[in-house]
Amino acid sequence: MSEVMMDRMSWVDYRSRIEQGNAVVFLPCGSLEQHGPHLPLGVDAMLSTAVAREVAVRVGGIVAPALSYGYKSQPRCGGGQHFPGTTSLDGDHLSQVVRDVIRELARHGVTQVVLVDGHYENQWFLIEGIDLALRDLGVDHAMRIMRTEYWDFCTEEVLGEVFPDGFPGFALEHAAVIETSLMLHFHPELVWMDKIPDVAPVEFPPHDMYPPHTHWVPTSGVLSSARGASAEKGALIVDAVCAGFADAVRREFGG
Ligand code: ZN
Ligand code: MN
């Protein structure tokens, strides 16, 4: 199998991959954010990279190094900014980094880019970066960009198997069953199963407050328990997500 990780290629090998045409470059977008006492701070970058890598292998793509810092953690989907370790960017800075990276890829001759978001709070700032980059490149440029939260490729069928008692929704899935199962699949040495807090899914009101009400968030930082997580569920999720994701890439970019 040829190398898919851009930072492990020489520039000469990278150039020849781009010159073959039709190369799809994946840009994983993560965060440095608390993920409960049982997972490391880098989960979002690790998982978006791991998923991007699996999909890149299937479609013959290249994975650029992840953006390891993301937009500010929000209480109702990431626990919030008040945890030690959570280290976030201003939205404009994230957008500008995305804009710069896309512009540089375009300079290399890349015309197909996939942003793989692993941190929900990044969403609109990634979209802004994409929009600014496309405006820089001009309407006649061949650049096309796909953007997704990778977990949206999870099928109803798989969610039914992973959550036999009902799915609490992706927002509460922070450091919970999906991320913990995926970490057990990709990086089992970085999951501390004996530290999983046993909490009921948090019930948030349908609004936010600023400054945030930190008392809305459990002190563990976990929004629903990861007790039901397993490596088997991780493999199930990975298979479904990567199959759906690879199909979408082929549909949009051909090959
Ligand atoms: Zn996460
Ligand atoms: Mn996150």
Coordinates of all heavy atoms in Angstrom, one line a residue, residues 33-127:
E33 N -9.3 19.5 23.4 CA -10.5 19.7 24.2 C -10.7 18.5 25.2 O -10.5 17.4 24.8 CB -11.7 19.7 23.3 CG -13.0 19.9 23.9 CD -14.2 19.8 22.9 OE1 -14.1 18.8 22.0 OE2 -15.1 20.6 22.9
Q34 N -11.1 18.9 26.4 CA -11.4 17.8 27.4 C -12.4 16.8 26.8 O -13.3 17.2 26.1 CB -11.9 18.4 28.7 CG -13.3 18.9 28.7 CD -14.4 17.9 28.8 OE1 -14.1 16.8 29.2 NE2 -15.6 18.3 28.4
H35 N -12.1 15.5 27.0 CA -13.0 14.4 26.6 C -13.2 13.5 27.8 O -13.2 12.3 27.6 CB -12.4 13.7 25.4 CG -12.7 14.3 24.1 ND1 -12.1 15.5 23.7 CD2 -13.6 14.0 23.1 CE1 -12.6 15.8 22.5 NE2 -13.5 15.0 22.1
G36 N -13.6 14.1 29.0 CA -13.8 13.3 30.1 C -12.5 12.7 30.7 O -11.4 13.0 30.1
P37 N -12.6 12.0 31.8 CA -11.4 11.5 32.5 C -10.8 10.2 31.8 O -9.8 9.8 32.1 CB -11.9 11.2 33.9 CG -13.3 11.0 33.8 CD -13.8 11.8 32.6
H38 N -11.6 9.7 30.8 CA -11.2 8.4 30.2 C -10.6 8.5 28.8 O -10.3 7.5 28.3 CB -12.5 7.5 30.2 CG -13.6 8.0 29.3 ND1 -14.3 9.1 29.6 CD2 -14.1 7.5 28.2 CE1 -15.2 9.3 28.7 NE2 -15.1 8.4 27.8
L39 N -10.6 9.7 28.3 CA -10.1 9.9 26.9 C -9.1 11.1 26.9 O -9.2 12.0 27.7 CB -11.2 10.2 25.9 CG -12.2 9.1 25.6 CD1 -13.3 9.6 24.7 CD2 -11.5 7.9 24.9
P40 N -8.1 11.1 25.9 CA -7.1 12.2 25.8 C -7.7 13.4 25.2 O -8.8 13.4 24.6 CB -6.0 11.5 25.0 CG -6.7 10.5 24.1 CD -7.9 10.0 24.9
L41 N -7.0 14.5 25.3 CA -7.4 15.8 24.9 C -7.5 15.9 23.3 O -8.2 16.7 22.8 CB -6.5 16.9 25.4 CG -6.5 17.2 26.9 CD1 -5.2 17.9 27.3 CD2 -7.7 17.9 27.3
G42 N -6.7 15.0 22.7 CA -6.6 15.1 21.2 C -7.6 14.3 20.4 O -7.4 14.1 19.2
V43 N -8.7 13.8 21.1 CA -9.6 12.8 20.4 C -10.1 13.4 19.0 O -10.1 12.6 18.0 CB -10.8 12.5 21.3 CG1 -11.9 11.9 20.5 CG2 -10.4 11.6 22.4
D44 N -10.5 14.6 19.0 CA -11.2 15.1 17.7 C -10.2 15.1 16.5 O -10.6 14.7 15.4 CB -11.8 16.4 17.9 CG -13.0 16.4 18.9 OD1 -13.4 15.3 19.3 OD2 -13.4 17.5 19.3
A45 N -9.0 15.4 16.8 CA -8.0 15.4 15.7 C -7.6 14.0 15.4 O -7.5 13.6 14.2 CB -6.8 16.2 16.1
M46 N -7.5 13.1 16.4 CA -7.1 11.7 16.2 C -8.1 11.0 15.4 O -7.8 10.3 14.4 CB -6.9 11.0 17.5 CG -5.6 11.4 18.3 SD -5.5 10.4 19.8 CE -4.6 11.5 20.8
L47 N -9.4 11.2 15.7 CA -10.5 10.4 15.0 C -10.7 11.0 13.6 O -10.9 10.2 12.7 CB -11.8 10.5 15.9 CG -11.7 9.7 17.2 CD1 -13.0 9.7 17.9 CD2 -11.3 8.2 16.9
S48 N -10.7 12.3 13.5 CA -10.9 12.8 12.1 C -9.7 12.3 11.2 O -9.9 12.0 10.0 CB -11.1 14.3 12.1 OG -10.1 15.0 12.8
T49 N -8.5 12.3 11.8 CA -7.4 11.8 11.0 C -7.5 10.3 10.6 O -7.3 9.9 9.5 CB -6.0 12.0 11.8 OG1 -5.9 13.4 12.0 CG2 -4.9 11.4 11.0
A50 N -7.9 9.5 11.6 CA -8.1 8.1 11.4 C -9.1 7.7 10.4 O -8.9 6.9 9.5 CB -8.4 7.4 12.8
V51 N -10.3 8.4 10.5 CA -11.3 8.2 9.5 C -10.8 8.7 8.1 O -11.0 8.0 7.1 CB -12.6 9.0 9.9 CG1 -13.6 9.0 8.7 CG2 -13.2 8.3 11.1
A52 N -10.2 9.9 8.0 CA -9.7 10.4 6.8 C -8.7 9.4 6.1 O -8.7 9.1 4.9 CB -9.0 11.7 7.0
R53 N -7.9 8.8 7.0 CA -6.9 7.8 6.5 C -7.6 6.6 5.9 O -7.2 6.2 4.8 CB -6.0 7.4 7.7 CG -4.8 6.7 7.3 CD -3.9 6.4 8.5 NE -2.6 5.9 8.0 CZ -2.4 4.6 7.6 NH1 -3.4 3.8 7.6 NH2 -1.2 4.2 7.1
E54 N -8.6 6.1 6.6 CA -9.3 4.9 6.0 C -9.9 5.2 4.7 O -9.9 4.4 3.8 CB -10.4 4.4 7.0 CG -9.9 4.0 8.4 CD -9.7 2.5 8.4 OE1 -10.4 1.7 7.7 OE2 -8.7 2.1 9.1
V55 N -10.5 6.4 4.6 CA -11.2 6.7 3.4 C -10.2 7.0 2.3 O -10.4 6.6 1.1 CB -12.2 8.0 3.6 CG1 -12.8 8.4 2.3 CG2 -13.2 7.7 4.7
A56 N -9.1 7.7 2.6 CA -8.1 8.0 1.6 C -7.5 6.7 1.1 O -7.2 6.6 -0.1 CB -7.0 8.8 2.3
V57 N -7.3 5.7 1.9 CA -6.8 4.4 1.4 C -7.8 3.8 0.4 O -7.4 3.3 -0.7 CB -6.6 3.4 2.6 CG1 -6.4 2.0 2.1 CG2 -5.4 3.8 3.4
R58 N -9.1 3.9 0.7 CA -10.1 3.4 -0.3 C -10.2 4.1 -1.6 O -10.5 3.5 -2.6 CB -11.5 3.4 0.4 CG -11.7 2.5 1.6 CD -13.0 2.6 2.2 NE -13.0 2.0 3.5 CZ -14.0 1.2 3.9 NH1 -15.0 1.0 3.2 NH2 -13.9 0.6 5.1
V59 N -10.0 5.4 -1.6 CA -10.1 6.2 -2.8 C -8.8 6.7 -3.4 O -8.8 7.4 -4.4 CB -11.1 7.5 -2.6 CG1 -12.4 7.0 -2.0 CG2 -10.4 8.5 -1.7
G60 N -7.7 6.2 -2.8 CA -6.4 6.7 -3.3 C -6.1 8.1 -3.1 O -5.5 8.8 -3.9
G61 N -6.5 8.6 -1.9 CA -6.3 10.0 -1.5 C -5.0 10.2 -0.7 O -4.3 9.3 -0.4
I62 N -4.9 11.5 -0.3 CA -3.7 11.9 0.5 C -4.3 12.6 1.8 O -5.3 13.4 1.6 CB -2.9 12.9 -0.2 CG1 -2.2 12.2 -1.5 CG2 -1.8 13.6 0.7 CD1 -1.6 13.2 -2.4
V63 N -3.8 12.4 3.0 CA -4.3 13.0 4.2 C -3.2 14.1 4.7 O -2.1 13.7 5.0 CB -4.5 12.0 5.3 CG1 -5.1 12.7 6.5 CG2 -5.5 10.9 4.8
A64 N -3.6 15.3 4.7 CA -2.8 16.4 5.2 C -2.8 16.3 6.7 O -3.7 15.8 7.3 CB -3.3 17.8 4.7
P65 N -1.8 16.9 7.4 CA -1.8 16.9 8.9 C -3.0 17.6 9.4 O -3.5 18.6 8.8 CB -0.5 17.6 9.2 CG 0.4 17.5 8.0 CD -0.5 17.4 6.8
A66 N -3.5 17.1 10.5 CA -4.8 17.6 11.1 C -4.5 19.0 11.6 O -3.5 19.4 12.1 CB -5.3 16.7 12.2
L67 N -5.6 19.9 11.6 CA -5.6 21.1 12.4 C -6.0 20.6 13.8 O -7.1 20.1 14.1 CB -6.7 22.0 11.9 CG -6.7 22.4 10.4 CD1 -7.7 23.5 10.1 CD2 -5.3 22.9 10.0
S68 N -5.0 20.7 14.7 CA -5.1 20.1 16.0 C -5.8 21.0 17.1 O -6.1 20.6 18.2 CB -3.7 19.7 16.6 OG -3.1 18.8 15.7
Y69 N -6.0 22.3 16.7 CA -6.8 23.2 17.6 C -8.0 23.6 16.8 O -8.1 23.8 15.6 CB -6.0 24.5 17.9 CG -4.7 24.2 18.6 CD1 -3.5 23.9 17.9 CD2 -4.6 24.3 20.0 CE1 -2.3 23.7 18.5 CE2 -3.4 24.1 20.6 CZ -2.3 23.7 19.9 OH -1.1 23.5 20.6
G70 N -9.1 23.8 17.6 CA -10.4 24.1 17.0 C -11.1 25.3 17.6 O -10.5 26.0 18.5
Y71 N -12.3 25.5 17.2 CA -13.1 26.6 17.8 C -13.5 26.3 19.2 O -13.6 25.2 19.6 CB -14.3 27.0 16.9 CG -15.0 28.2 17.5 CD1 -14.4 29.4 17.5 CD2 -16.3 28.1 18.0 CE1 -15.0 30.5 18.1 CE2 -16.9 29.2 18.6 CZ -16.3 30.4 18.6 OH -16.9 31.5 19.2
K72 N -13.8 27.3 19.9 CA -14.1 27.2 21.4 C -15.2 26.2 21.7 O -16.3 26.2 21.1 CB -14.6 28.6 21.9 CG -13.4 29.6 21.8 CD -13.9 31.1 21.8 CE -12.8 32.0 21.4 NZ -13.3 33.3 20.9
S73 N -14.9 25.4 22.7 CA -15.8 24.3 23.1 C -17.1 25.0 23.7 O -17.0 25.9 24.5 CB -15.1 23.5 24.2 OG -15.9 22.5 24.7
Q74 N -18.2 24.4 23.3 CA -19.5 24.9 23.8 C -20.1 24.0 24.8 O -20.1 22.8 24.6 CB -20.5 25.1 22.6 CG -20.0 26.2 21.6 CD -19.8 27.6 22.2 OE1 -20.8 28.1 22.7 NE2 -18.6 28.1 22.2
P75 N -20.7 24.5 25.9 CA -21.2 23.6 27.0 C -22.1 22.5 26.5 O -22.0 21.4 26.9 CB -22.0 24.6 27.9 CG -21.3 25.9 27.7 CD -20.8 25.9 26.2
R76 N -23.0 22.8 25.5 CA -24.1 21.9 25.2 C -23.6 20.8 24.2 O -24.3 19.9 23.9 CB -25.3 22.6 24.6 CG -26.0 23.3 25.8 CD -27.5 23.7 25.4 NE -27.6 24.7 24.4 CZ -28.5 24.8 23.4 NH1 -29.4 23.8 23.3 NH2 -28.5 25.8 22.6
C77 N -22.4 21.0 23.6 CA -21.9 19.9 22.7 C -20.4 19.5 23.0 O -20.0 18.4 22.5 CB -22.1 20.2 21.3 SG -21.4 21.8 20.8
G78 N -19.7 20.3 23.8 CA -18.3 19.9 24.0 C -17.9 20.1 25.5 O -16.8 19.8 25.9
G79 N -18.8 20.5 26.3 CA -18.6 20.7 27.7 C -18.2 22.1 28.1 O -18.3 22.5 29.3
G80 N -17.7 22.9 27.1 CA -17.3 24.3 27.4 C -15.9 24.6 27.6 O -15.1 23.6 27.7
Q81 N -15.6 25.9 27.8 CA -14.2 26.3 27.8 C -13.5 26.3 29.2 O -12.4 26.6 29.3 CB -14.1 27.8 27.3 CG -14.2 27.9 25.8 CD -12.9 27.3 25.1 OE1 -13.0 26.3 24.4 NE2 -11.8 27.9 25.4
H82 N -14.3 25.9 30.2 CA -13.8 26.1 31.6 C -12.9 24.9 32.0 O -12.4 25.0 33.2 CB -14.9 26.4 32.6 CG -16.0 25.3 32.6 ND1 -16.8 25.1 31.5 CD2 -16.3 24.3 33.5 CE1 -17.6 24.1 31.8 NE2 -17.3 23.6 33.0
F83 N -12.6 23.9 31.2 CA -11.8 22.8 31.6 C -10.3 23.0 31.3 O -10.0 23.5 30.2 CB -12.3 21.5 30.9 CG -13.6 21.0 31.4 CD1 -14.8 21.5 30.7 CD2 -13.7 20.1 32.4 CE1 -16.0 21.0 31.1 CE2 -15.0 19.6 32.8 CZ -16.1 20.1 32.2
P84 N -9.5 22.7 32.3 CA -8.0 22.8 32.0 C -7.7 21.9 30.8 O -8.3 20.8 30.7 CB -7.4 22.2 33.3 CG -8.4 22.4 34.3 CD -9.7 22.3 33.7
G85 N -6.9 22.3 29.9 CA -6.5 21.5 28.8 C -7.2 21.9 27.5 O -6.6 21.9 26.4
T86 N -8.5 22.3 27.6 CA -9.2 22.7 26.5 C -8.6 24.0 26.0 O -8.5 25.0 26.7 CB -10.7 23.0 26.8 OG1 -11.3 21.7 27.2 CG2 -11.5 23.5 25.6
T87 N -8.1 24.0 24.7 CA -7.3 25.1 24.2 C -7.8 25.5 22.8 O -7.6 24.7 21.9 CB -5.8 24.6 24.1 OG1 -5.4 24.0 25.4 CG2 -4.8 25.8 23.8
S88 N -8.4 26.6 22.7 CA -9.2 26.9 21.5 C -8.8 28.2 20.8 O -8.1 29.0 21.3 CB -10.7 27.0 21.9 OG -11.1 25.8 22.6
L89 N -9.2 28.2 19.5 CA -8.9 29.4 18.7 C -10.1 30.3 18.6 O -11.2 29.9 18.6 CB -8.5 28.9 17.3 CG -7.4 27.9 17.1 CD1 -7.3 27.5 15.6 CD2 -6.1 28.5 17.6
D90 N -9.8 31.6 18.3 CA -10.9 32.5 17.9 C -11.3 32.0 16.5 O -10.6 31.6 15.7 CB -10.3 34.0 17.8 CG -10.1 34.6 19.2 OD1 -10.5 34.0 20.2 OD2 -9.5 35.7 19.2
G91 N -12.6 32.2 16.3 CA -13.2 31.7 15.0 C -12.5 32.2 13.8 O -12.2 31.5 12.9
D92 N -12.2 33.5 13.8 CA -11.6 34.1 12.6 C -10.2 33.5 12.3 O -9.8 33.3 11.2 CB -11.4 35.6 12.9 CG -10.7 36.3 11.7 OD1 -11.1 36.1 10.5 OD2 -9.7 37.0 11.9
H93 N -9.5 33.1 13.4 CA -8.1 32.5 13.2 C -8.3 31.1 12.6 O -7.5 30.8 11.6 CB -7.4 32.4 14.5 CG -7.1 33.8 15.2 ND1 -6.7 33.9 16.5 CD2 -7.2 35.0 14.7 CE1 -6.6 35.2 16.7 NE2 -6.9 35.9 15.7
L94 N -9.3 30.4 13.0 CA -9.5 29.1 12.4 C -9.8 29.2 10.9 O -9.3 28.5 10.1 CB -10.6 28.3 13.2 CG -11.0 27.0 12.6 CD1 -9.8 26.0 12.6 CD2 -12.1 26.4 13.5
S95 N -10.7 30.1 10.6 CA -11.1 30.4 9.2 C -9.9 30.7 8.4 O -9.8 30.3 7.3 CB -12.2 31.5 9.1 OG -13.4 31.1 9.8
Q96 N -9.1 31.6 8.9 CA -7.9 32.0 8.2 C -6.9 30.9 7.9 O -6.3 30.8 6.9 CB -7.2 33.2 8.9 CG -8.1 34.5 9.0 CD -8.5 35.0 7.6 OE1 -7.9 34.8 6.6 NE2 -9.6 35.8 7.6
V97 N -6.7 30.0 8.9 CA -5.8 28.9 8.7 C -6.4 28.0 7.6 O -5.7 27.5 6.7 CB -5.7 28.0 10.0 CG1 -4.9 26.7 9.8 CG2 -4.9 28.9 11.1
V98 N -7.7 27.7 7.6 CA -8.3 26.9 6.6 C -8.1 27.5 5.2 O -7.8 26.9 4.2 CB -9.8 26.7 6.9 CG1 -10.6 26.1 5.7 CG2 -10.0 25.8 8.2
R99 N -8.4 28.8 5.2 CA -8.2 29.6 3.9 C -6.8 29.4 3.4 O -6.5 29.2 2.2 CB -8.5 31.1 4.2 CG -8.3 32.0 3.1 CD -8.4 33.4 3.6 NE -8.7 34.4 2.6 CZ -9.1 35.7 2.8 NH1 -9.2 36.1 4.1 NH2 -9.3 36.5 1.9
D100 N -5.8 29.6 4.3 CA -4.4 29.5 3.9 C -4.0 28.1 3.4 O -3.4 27.9 2.4 CB -3.4 29.8 5.1 CG -3.4 31.3 5.4 OD1 -4.0 32.1 4.7 OD2 -2.8 31.6 6.5
V101 N -4.5 27.1 4.1 CA -4.1 25.7 3.7 C -4.8 25.4 2.3 O -4.1 24.8 1.5 CB -4.6 24.7 4.8 CG1 -4.4 23.2 4.2 CG2 -3.8 24.9 6.1
I102 N -6.0 25.7 2.1 CA -6.7 25.5 0.8 C -5.9 26.2 -0.3 O -5.7 25.7 -1.4 CB -8.1 25.9 0.8 CG1 -8.9 25.0 1.8 CG2 -8.8 25.8 -0.6 CD1 -10.3 25.4 2.1
R103 N -5.5 27.5 0.0 CA -4.8 28.2 -1.1 C -3.5 27.6 -1.4 O -3.1 27.5 -2.6 CB -4.6 29.7 -0.6 CG -4.3 30.7 -1.7 CD -3.7 32.0 -1.1 NE -2.6 31.7 -0.2 CZ -2.6 32.1 1.1 NH1 -3.6 32.9 1.6 NH2 -1.6 31.9 1.9
E104 N -2.8 27.1 -0.4 CA -1.5 26.4 -0.6 C -1.7 25.1 -1.4 O -1.0 24.8 -2.3 CB -0.8 26.1 0.7 CG -0.2 27.3 1.4 CD 1.0 27.8 0.7 OE1 0.8 28.5 -0.3 OE2 2.1 27.5 1.1
L105 N -2.7 24.3 -1.0 CA -3.0 23.1 -1.8 C -3.3 23.4 -3.3 O -2.8 22.7 -4.2 CB -4.2 22.3 -1.2 CG -4.0 21.8 0.2 CD1 -5.3 21.2 0.8 CD2 -2.9 20.7 0.2
A106 N -4.0 24.5 -3.5 CA -4.3 24.9 -4.9 C -3.0 25.3 -5.6 O -2.9 24.9 -6.8 CB -5.3 26.2 -4.8
R107 N -2.1 25.9 -4.9 CA -0.8 26.3 -5.5 C -0.1 25.0 -5.9 O 0.7 25.0 -6.9 CB 0.0 27.1 -4.5 CG 1.4 27.5 -5.1 CD 2.1 28.4 -4.1 NE 2.4 27.8 -2.8 CZ 3.4 26.9 -2.6 NH1 4.2 26.5 -3.6 NH2 3.6 26.3 -1.4
H108 N -0.3 23.9 -5.2 CA 0.4 22.6 -5.5 C -0.3 21.9 -6.7 O 0.2 20.9 -7.2 CB 0.3 21.6 -4.4 CG 0.8 22.1 -3.1 ND1 0.4 21.6 -1.8 CD2 1.6 23.2 -2.7 CE1 0.9 22.3 -0.8 NE2 1.7 23.2 -1.4
G109 N -1.4 22.5 -7.1 CA -2.1 21.8 -8.2 C -3.3 21.0 -7.8 O -4.0 20.3 -8.6
V110 N -3.6 20.9 -6.5 CA -4.7 20.1 -6.0 C -6.0 20.9 -6.3 O -6.1 22.1 -6.2 CB -4.6 20.0 -4.4 CG1 -5.8 19.3 -3.9 CG2 -3.3 19.2 -4.1
T111 N -7.0 20.1 -6.8 CA -8.3 20.7 -7.1 C -9.5 20.0 -6.4 O -10.6 20.4 -6.6 CB -8.6 20.7 -8.6 OG1 -8.5 19.3 -9.1 CG2 -7.6 21.5 -9.4
Q112 N -9.1 19.0 -5.6 CA -10.2 18.3 -4.8 C -9.8 18.1 -3.4 O -8.8 17.5 -3.1 CB -10.4 16.9 -5.5 CG -10.7 17.0 -7.0 CD -10.8 15.7 -7.6 OE1 -11.8 15.4 -8.3 NE2 -9.9 14.8 -7.5
V113 N -10.5 18.8 -2.5 CA -10.2 18.8 -1.1 C -11.4 18.4 -0.3 O -12.5 18.7 -0.6 CB -9.7 20.2 -0.7 CG1 -9.5 20.3 0.8 CG2 -8.5 20.7 -1.4
V114 N -11.1 17.6 0.8 CA -12.2 17.2 1.7 C -11.9 17.6 3.1 O -10.8 17.2 3.7 CB -12.4 15.6 1.6 CG1 -13.5 15.2 2.6 CG2 -12.7 15.2 0.2
L115 N -12.7 18.5 3.7 CA -12.5 18.8 5.1 C -13.3 17.8 6.0 O -14.5 17.7 5.8 CB -13.0 20.2 5.4 CG -11.9 21.3 5.3 CD1 -11.4 21.4 3.9 CD2 -12.5 22.7 5.7
V116 N -12.5 17.1 6.8 CA -13.2 16.1 7.7 C -13.2 16.7 9.1 O -12.2 16.7 9.8 CB -12.3 14.8 7.7 CG1 -13.0 13.7 8.5 CG2 -12.0 14.4 6.3
D117 N -14.4 17.1 9.5 CA -14.5 17.8 10.8 C -14.8 16.8 11.9 O -15.7 16.0 11.7 CB -15.7 18.8 10.7 CG -15.7 19.7 11.9 OD1 -14.8 19.7 12.7 OD2 -16.7 20.5 12.1
G118 N -14.0 16.8 12.9 CA -14.2 16.0 14.1 C -14.6 16.7 15.3 O -14.6 16.1 16.4
H119 N -14.9 18.0 15.2 CA -15.2 18.9 16.3 C -16.4 19.8 15.9 O -16.2 20.7 15.1 CB -14.0 19.6 16.7 CG -14.2 20.6 17.8 ND1 -14.5 20.3 19.1 CD2 -14.0 22.0 17.8 CE1 -14.6 21.4 19.9 NE2 -14.3 22.4 19.1
Y120 N -17.5 19.5 16.4 CA -18.8 20.1 16.0 C -18.7 21.7 15.9 O -19.1 22.3 15.0 CB -19.9 19.7 16.9 CG -21.3 20.1 16.4 CD1 -21.8 19.5 15.3 CD2 -21.9 21.1 17.1 CE1 -23.1 19.9 14.9 CE2 -23.2 21.5 16.6 CZ -23.8 20.9 15.5 OH -25.0 21.3 15.1
E121 N -18.0 22.3 16.9 CA -18.0 23.7 17.1 C -17.2 24.4 15.9 O -17.3 25.6 15.7 CB -17.3 24.1 18.4 CG -18.1 23.8 19.6 CD -17.9 22.4 20.2 OE1 -17.7 21.5 19.4 OE2 -18.0 22.3 21.4
N122 N -16.4 23.6 15.2 CA -15.7 24.1 14.0 C -16.5 24.5 12.8 O -16.1 25.3 12.0 CB -14.6 23.1 13.5 CG -13.5 22.9 14.4 OD1 -13.2 23.7 15.3 ND2 -12.8 21.8 14.2
Q123 N -17.7 23.9 12.8 CA -18.5 23.9 11.5 C -18.5 25.2 10.7 O -18.0 25.2 9.6 CB -19.9 23.4 11.8 CG -20.7 23.2 10.5 CD -22.0 22.6 10.8 OE1 -22.9 23.2 11.5 NE2 -22.2 21.4 10.3
W124 N -19.0 26.3 11.3 CA -19.2 27.5 10.5 C -17.9 28.2 10.2 O -17.8 28.9 9.1 CB -20.2 28.4 11.1 CG -21.6 27.8 11.1 CD1 -22.2 27.1 12.2 CD2 -22.5 27.6 10.0 NE1 -23.4 26.6 11.8 CE2 -23.6 26.9 10.5 CE3 -22.4 28.0 8.7 CZ2 -24.6 26.6 9.6 CZ3 -23.5 27.7 7.9 CH2 -24.6 27.0 8.3
F125 N -16.9 28.0 11.0 CA -15.6 28.6 10.7 C -14.9 27.9 9.6 O -14.1 28.5 8.9 CB -14.8 28.7 12.0 CG -15.6 29.5 13.1 CD1 -16.3 28.9 14.1 CD2 -15.7 30.9 13.0 CE1 -17.0 29.6 15.0 CE2 -16.4 31.6 13.9 CZ -17.1 31.0 14.9
L126 N -15.1 26.6 9.5 CA -14.5 25.9 8.4 C -15.2 26.3 7.1 O -14.6 26.6 6.0 CB -14.7 24.4 8.5 CG -14.1 23.7 9.8 CD1 -14.3 22.2 9.7 CD2 -12.6 24.1 9.9
I127 N -16.5 26.5 7.1 CA -17.3 26.9 6.0 C -16.8 28.3 5.5 O -16.6 28.6 4.4 CB -18.8 26.9 6.3 CG1 -19.3 25.5 6.5 CG2 -19.6 27.6 5.2 CD1 -20.7 25.3 7.0

